[in-house]
Amino acid sequence: MMIRCFQHNCQQDFNTIDEYVAHLKGHNLKDTREYKCTYRNCPQSLSSFYKLRRHLECHSNDGIQQMNDCPSSSKMLKSDEHEVGSVLDLEKDKSADETACPSTSNADKLQSSLSDLDHLAINFVIDLHRKRNFNRKDVTDILGGIRSVYSNLGDLIASSAPASQDGQEQYTFDTYVKKVSNIFEFVDTEYKLLKYLEEADLYKSPDVYVVNIDKVELCKEVSEKKTHLVMTNLKFQIRKFFEVDNILSDTLKNMENLKQNSNLQNFVNGALYRSVEEKYAGKIVMPVFLYSDEFEINDPLSAHNKRHSICALYYSFPTLPNQYTAKLSNIFIAGAIKKVDISEHGIDKLIQHVVTSFQDIESNGIVIHTKTQEYHVYFSLMLVQGDNLGIHQMLKFSGSFAANLYCRFCTRTKDALRSDTVEYEDSLRNVKDYERDVQLKQSESGLTGKSLFNSLDSFHTIKNYYADIMHDLYSSGVCSFGFTEVLNYCIYKKRFCTLDDVNNRRKMLNNYKLEQGLSRMPDIEGTFLKTSKERSVVLRMTASEMAVCIFKLFLLHSRTFCPFG
């Protein structure tokens, strides 16, 4: 039999299975997820090296049986019994009589069906775990019910089917019946499912780190009292994401289109990305944004609520095309840290492994295999995002906004910032002065120490020009205070309109333009301020509702639907 190596960069031919197996051992098959059978262009793909060898042995046994039964093969063997027969000639003659002697036996069909059953079973189990209204116990109960039904079906098939004279075919049939009887045996528990997904290169368990005597160590057992940092495998996540469909090629095309734009449309149009790209001459470098935010779990209204606060770390890719950035699933979780551990051990000890992971993908890059070719892409962390408190905590600026030097962009004092209306260039923070300020006290510099993120080649805290627009402008910032003052002046001082008029105008605009942001927004209410002894409006809006209200209700449609008549 003639077998060709399935590795695309090899394609050597072998006459026996033993020679082929010895050759495959020389290849690095650890990362191989699909073992293709190349015997006579067989379409079968196996999931392991062991299954591939058994499959080839089935071909070998089937070929011997065909040569004994096929008339053309018998004639050839008799005519060449005194000569050294060529295996290649024999294979050519057998392929010519392929219609008379079919090469696919029932055993091969059953073996192929076994592989299909595994795929169907694993897809079904994963779909069950995806459903948000199912917990783990529900999934286990469903699989148990299916197992009880299929076990009776398997016994019925085994008792009614006639025995086969072919030993290999009978063995494959018995295996198939056993598989049907307990189709979810290999993934019926969470441990088996995760193990199967890891072996198939579809899942990586997150790493758990604990602080032991001022030293952060990797821990295999998860303990609620000892666990301080849980971190995902960034390399694995990024590689698997960009290997799906055409995501990588679409992203690279989108990056090239954005670079050609002279306007500041995306992060890649800025000077910071261009300065980083110059360091990777002739290589593919993709920017990564890191986002940090805190959230409460386990009864956030209890007396011990702060004990359960968690600082979550997320990362995203700003150059993804619009069809990918619109999905929340394309914002990935990098890790999670308990807030109490940050207070007890400091932020540096808990994020050092996060910084190390970003250093790895920045310096070594990731090899991504797509359907068409192989790419070596470098991912560089260029921006740390979050609310003001989260950014100050991660980058080690002053955590109190009542401090004398609380701004991360300049060194102007608190009193000066209250009245400043222009920018003072001599007070802006820079890299040179940062090294000096780190050595000073917090009250003199506004810094609590040197950030670990500065160890990255493409990042520096001073160049992290990111503003918290949601809080600074919309939810509790300029728009909220300014809008309140405008409404108070027009309603209660000048009496251009009433509060009901404003709410009615908003409803009219929503019916006319079908603005969903305005339809969700509640009516503006009024209250009496005891401190100033005057009436005032109360705005209870989210950041998105405030943005819609400001830009669409009072700016874009002020002429047609003026709330003041």
Side-chain angles (χ1 to χ4, degrees):
M1 59 186 302
M2 179 60 62
I3 315 172
R4 175 165 293 179
C5 181
F6 69 87
Q7 296 288 323
H8 67 278
N9 56 351
C10 183
Q11 300 292 313
Q12 294 187 31
D13 295 330
F14 301 92
N15 297 329
T16 64
I17 297 177
D18 293 336
E19 293 178 359
Y20 183 43
V21 170
H23 170 75
L24 288 179
K25 290 181 179 180
H27 287 297
N28 184 15
L29 301 177
K30 293 182 179 180
D31 298 332
T32 304
R33 300 181 293 276
E34 191 178 35
Y35 298 81
K36 297 181 179 179
C37 176
T38 57
Y39 176 69
R40 283 192 178 183
N41 297 322
C42 175
Q44 184 68 30
S45 295
L46 292 309
S47 60
S48 66
F49 179 76
Y50 171 73
K51 292 181 180 180
L52 175 63
R53 177 163 187 164
R54 285 192 56 189
H55 178 74
L56 292 173
E57 289 175 352
C58 293
H59 278 309
S60 178
N61 296 333
D62 187 46
I64 295 174
Q65 182 67 27
Q66 289 177 28
M67 285 189 291
N68 293 333
D69 297 340
C70 185
S72 61
S73 299
S74 302
K75 286 182 180 180
M76 181 176 180
L77 288 175
K78 289 181 180 179
S79 61
D80 295 336
E81 60 185 7
H82 299 295
E83 300 177 3
V84 179
S86 172
V87 179
L88 274 174
D89 294 337
L90 180 61
E91 291 297 326
K92 290 179 181 179
D93 194 52
K94 284 169 63 181
S95 62
D97 294 330
E98 192 170 348
T99 56
C101 302
S103 62
T104 304
S105 64
N106 292 332
D108 294 334
K109 294 180 181 178
L110 290 176
Q111 188 69 29
S112 176
S113 299
L114 284 175
S115 179
D116 294 338
L117 279 177
D118 287 343
H119 288 297
L120 292 173
I122 190 65
N123 289 334
F124 178 76
V125 174
I126 291 177
D127 287 338
L128 287 180
H129 281 283
R130 273 191 199 150
K131 297 185 182 298
R132 297 185 178 181
N133 56 334
F134 284 1
N135 55 34
R136 297 174 185 175
K137 186 178 182 302
D138 293 334
V139 175
T140 304
D141 293 341
I142 292 174
L143 297 182
I146 297 175
R147 181 169 56 248
S148 62
V149 174
Y150 273 54
S151 61
N152 297 330
L153 179 62
D155 296 338
L156 180 61
I157 295 174
S159 60
S160 60
S164 176
Q165 296 180 356
D166 188 347
Q168 179 64 31
E169 185 173 329
Q170 182 63 38
Y171 172 78
T172 306
F173 177 77
D174 294 339
T175 305
Y176 185 84
V177 174
K178 183 180 179 181
K179 184 72 175 178
V180 171
S181 301
N182 197 357
I183 189 173
F184 300 110
E185 181 183 10
F186 67 108
V187 289
D188 58 355
T189 64
E190 184 180 4
Y191 172 78
K192 291 181 181 179
L193 175 62
L194 297 180
K195 184 178 180 182
Y196 178 87
L197 294 176
E198 284 190 6
E199 292 177 351
D201 194 31
L202 297 173
Y203 171 79
K204 289 286 186 184
S205 299
D207 296 327
V208 179
Y209 297 91
V210 298
V211 178
N212 292 325
I213 314 176
D214 295 336
K215 183 179 180 182
V216 182
E217 298 176 344
L218 183 64
C219 179
K220 295 183 179 180
E221 297 181 358
V222 180
S223 174
E224 184 179 353
K225 296 182 179 180
K226 296 182 179 179
T227 302
H228 298 126
L229 168 64
V230 178
M231 186 176 175
T232 58
N233 191 306
L234 298 185
K235 257 190 170 180
F236 175 81
Q237 269 189 334
I238 296 174
R239 177 173 63 84
K240 299 304 292 186
F241 171 68
F242 283 106
E243 285 181 350
V244 174
D245 298 331
N246 300 318
I247 293 181
L248 181 59
S249 58
D250 293 344
T251 303
L252 295 179
K253 291 179 183 178
N254 187 52
M255 287 181 61
E256 293 300 324
N257 295 333
L258 292 172
K259 291 177 185 178
Q260 296 174 4
N261 197 328
S262 58
N263 298 326
L264 191 61
Q265 183 178 356
N266 190 275
F267 185 81
V268 296
N269 301 125
L272 180 59
Y273 175 79
R274 288 196 292 267
S275 63
V276 174
E277 191 180 26
E278 293 176 355
K279 302 178 183 178
Y280 298 86
K283 299 178 182 178
I284 303 174
V285 55
M286 193 175 297
V288 183
F289 289 172
L290 181 67
Y291 183 89
S292 67
D293 197 8
E294 294 180 5
F295 62 93
E296 288 277 352
I297 61 172
N298 297 340
D299 190 11
L301 300 179
S302 68
H304 305 285
N305 56 341
K306 295 301 180 182
R307 298 291 301 177
H308 304 290
S309 181
I310 295 177
C311 177
L313 304 175
Y314 312 90
Y315 66 96
S316 60
F317 306 97
T319 56
L320 288 178
N322 293 333
Q323 65 267 28
Y324 301 124
T325 55
K327 295 183 179 180
L328 191 63
S329 58
N330 292 336
I331 299 177
F332 304 97
I333 299 176
I337 311 172
K338 290 182 179 179
K339 177 64 180 299
V340 293
D341 294 328
I342 297 177
S343 302
E344 293 178 8
H345 305 287
I347 190 66
D348 285 349
K349 295 176 183 177
L350 296 169
I351 67 167
Q352 60 180 346
H353 293 283
V354 179
V355 176
T356 302
S357 298
F358 278 106
Q359 282 178 335
D360 185 19
I361 62 177
E362 180 185 63
S363 303
N364 303 323
I366 301 175
V367 178
I368 301 174
H369 301 274
T370 63
K371 296 179 180 179
T372 56
Q373 66 182 100
E374 177 181 293
Y375 295 89
H376 195 168
V377 186
Y378 296 85
F379 296 88
S380 179
L381 178 64
M382 298 187 184
L383 204 63
V384 175
Q385 302 173 315
D387 57 15
N388 290 317
L389 183 61
I391 297 177
H392 281 230
Q393 178 179 259
M394 297 295 292
L395 303 184
K396 305 198 72 172
F397 286 99
S398 177
S400 173
F401 299 105
N404 189 41
L405 299 174
Y406 65 84
C407 183
R408 62 178 179 272
F409 300 112
C410 70
T411 56
R412 298 280 291 175
T413 62
K414 176 177 60 176
D415 296 334
L417 288 173
R418 290 175 178 174
S419 58
D420 285 344
T421 57
V422 296
E423 179 183 274
Y424 294 88
E425 294 185 2
D426 56 341
S427 298
L428 295 178
R429 296 184 184 271
N430 55 68
V431 178
K432 181 179 178 181
D433 293 339
Y434 176 83
E435 300 299 330
R436 179 203 63 195
D437 294 341
V438 170
Q439 309 298 328
L440 301 176
K441 296 180 180 180
Q442 178 179 346
S443 59
E444 299 175 353
S445 63
L447 299 171
T448 59
K450 188 173 183 179
S451 175
L452 280 180
F453 285 98
N454 289 347
S455 59
L456 297 171
D457 294 336
S458 305
F459 182 87
H460 198 281
T461 55
I462 300 302
K463 298 180 180 180
N464 190 68
Y465 298 115
Y466 175 80
D468 182 11
I469 298 177
M470 186 182 77
H471 293 91
D472 293 345
L473 286 183
Y474 300 127
S475 63
S476 57
V478 176
C479 292
S480 179
F481 290 110
F483 191 23
T484 301
E485 291 297 325
V486 169
L487 290 179
N488 287 338
Y489 180 81
C490 295
I491 296 174
Y492 298 115
K493 290 187 177 180
K494 294 298 182 179
R495 300 185 183 276
F496 293 146
C497 62
T498 65
L499 189 58
D500 292 336
D501 293 336
V502 176
N503 289 324
N504 291 333
R505 297 279 176 163
R506 177 188 63 80
K507 294 177 182 178
M508 290 172 59
L509 180 61
N510 173 50
N511 297 331
Y512 178 72
K513 289 292 185 178
L514 298 178
E515 296 289 352
Q516 295 182 358
L518 296 178
S519 63
R520 294 194 303 265
M521 188 182 76
D523 288 341
I524 301 174
E525 301 176 357
T527 186
F528 183 80
L529 301 177
K530 295 181 179 180
T531 55
S532 57
K533 296 183 179 180
E534 59 183 7
R535 297 187 62 84
S536 174
V537 298
V538 179
L539 303 179
R540 306 184 189 278
M541 307 182 197
T542 63
S544 60
E545 291 170 353
M546 176 64 76
V548 174
C549 185
I550 291 294
F551 290 106
K552 292 189 176 181
L553 179 59
F554 287 95
L555 296 182
L556 300 182
H557 306 286
S558 58
R559 294 182 180 180
T560 307
F561 291 99
C562 179
F564 311 126

